[in-house]
């Protein structure tokens, strides 16, 4: 029901992602309930992305030209209605029962402004490369150069996002997600750690990290 505000908003930026998008959407869909909303911000795809989106009627999606993936993320946060949001890339997937665990952790800790979890890096075919299991959120460790909060595992209060200035998509073509984590730490937000593997993070030749357009 649109009258009931969701607790968590999942935001997926996408552009010509027909190869991986359906798997991403399905990983959210099987965990959906009334406390979750899924928003896809598409940058005007010209492949089969929109046809895929039409097969997922619960997804709210918008397709228009944007200023890059961080601008799409920012627009998604602004459009979201949840108390907390997460950005799940269009080539990454939630692992089973993650959203239920995240929601329960945030409800157990009402003083938390957000949380992050652990991650499994996978290849183009979804095969595990390695996994990272972290400790606590520590701003001093983060600011001295160890970016261990992987953004698809990061759930943040929308209120804090707006207070710290959000994704700096005007200035940064890359690493605006890391910049947001740093700003969150500098702000003094209380971010918990959920010691569960939350996301299969796909590292492949067509991913953002390998995109020469944004180097």
């Amino acid at each position: 029901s649109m009258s009931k505000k969701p607790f968590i908003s999942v935001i997926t930026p996408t552009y010509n992602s027909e190869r991986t998008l359906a798997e991403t959407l399905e990983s959210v869909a099987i965990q959906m309930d009334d406390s979750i909303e899924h928003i896809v911000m598409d940058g005007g795809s010209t492949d089969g992305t929109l046809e895929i989106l039409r097969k997922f009627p619960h997804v709210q999606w918008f397709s228009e030209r944007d200023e890059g993936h961080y601008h799409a993320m920012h627009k998604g946060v602004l459009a979201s209605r949840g108390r907390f949001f997460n950005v799940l890339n269009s080539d990454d997937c939630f692992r089973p029962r993650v959203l239920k665990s995240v929601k329960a952790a945030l409800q157990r800790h009402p003083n938390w402004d957000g949380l992050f979890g652990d991650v499994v890096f996978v290849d183009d075919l979804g095969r595990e490369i390695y996994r990272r299991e972290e400790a606590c959120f520590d701003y001093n460790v983060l600011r001295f150069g160890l970016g261990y909060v992987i953004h698809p595992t990061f759930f943040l209060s929308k209120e804090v996002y707006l207070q710290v200035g959000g994704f700096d998509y005007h200035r940064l073509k890359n690493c605006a997600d890391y910049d947001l984590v740093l700003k969150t730490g500098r702000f003094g937000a209380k971010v918990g750690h959920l010691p569960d593997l939350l996301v299969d993070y796909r590292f492949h030749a067509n991913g953002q990290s390998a995109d020469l357009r944004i180097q």
Side-chain angles (χ1 to χ4, degrees):
S1 169
M2 291 297 289
S3 61
K4 180 181 177 183
K5 288 191 67 173
F7 188 68
I8 294 172
S9 301
V10 179
I11 296 152
T12 297
T14 184
Y15 180 69
N16 288 344
S17 300
E18 65 178 1
R19 292 172 62 253
T20 57
L21 179 62
E23 189 178 355
T24 297
L25 298 180
E26 185 63 33
S27 79
V28 182
I30 61 176
Q31 304 185 43
M32 290 285 289
D33 61 29
D34 288 344
S35 67
I36 309 294
E37 69 173 354
H38 194 183
I39 300 172
V40 174
M41 304 301 294
D42 178 68
S45 291
T46 56
D47 64 356
T49 291
L50 302 190
E51 285 71 21
I52 293 170
L53 285 168
R54 293 186 181 104
K55 296 177 182 177
F56 291 84
H58 67 280
V59 174
Q60 305 168 51
W61 59 272
F62 307 86
S63 184
E64 60 186 13
R65 291 189 64 178
D66 55 39
E67 299 174 38
H69 48 284
Y70 292 120
H71 184 213
M73 295 176 190
H74 178 69
K75 291 194 301 177
V77 178
L78 296 184
S80 69
R81 299 182 303 122
R83 179 178 169 191
F84 296 92
F85 75 91
N86 163 273
V87 176
L88 183 70
N89 301 325
S90 60
D91 54 358
D92 299 333
C93 294
F94 284 136
R95 293 171 70 84
R97 296 173 294 280
V98 158
L99 292 175
K100 183 177 181 180
S101 297
V102 168
K103 178 182 173 183
L106 290 170
Q107 290 177 331
R108 280 197 309 271
H109 301 277
N111 60 321
W112 284 5
D113 297 304
L115 63 75
F116 78 105
D118 301 333
V119 63
V120 178
F121 287 82
V122 300
D123 67 11
D124 197 23
L125 299 178
R127 298 172 300 197
E128 180 173 338
I129 303 171
Y130 71 101
R131 57 184 61 191
R132 288 180 56 162
E133 298 176 1
E134 308 295 350
C136 62
F137 185 93
D138 189 318
Y139 173 57
N140 285 324
V141 175
L142 286 163
R143 71 192 181 102
F144 288 121
L146 184 59
Y148 62 86
V149 178
I150 308 300
H151 85 76
T153 77
F154 187 44
F155 291 75
L156 182 64
S157 154
K158 180 177 178 179
E159 180 181 0
V160 169
Y161 176 86
L162 296 174
Q163 287 179 311
V164 302
F167 293 111
D168 191 355
Y169 64 90
H170 291 297
R171 187 171 62 91
L172 299 172
K173 291 184 178 180
N174 212 337
C175 293
D177 46 343
Y178 182 39
D179 177 67
L180 175 63
V181 172
L182 289 174
K183 289 189 292 190
T184 301
R186 187 169 64 240
F187 180 73
K190 189 166 183 58
V191 177
H193 175 239
L194 183 59
D196 292 336
L197 294 164
L198 303 188
V199 171
D200 287 338
Y201 184 90
R202 200 184 307 259
F203 199 80
H204 59 108
N206 298 304
Q208 171 191 322
S209 299
D211 191 341
L212 297 178
R213 295 173 302 170
I214 57 173
Q215 300 300 314

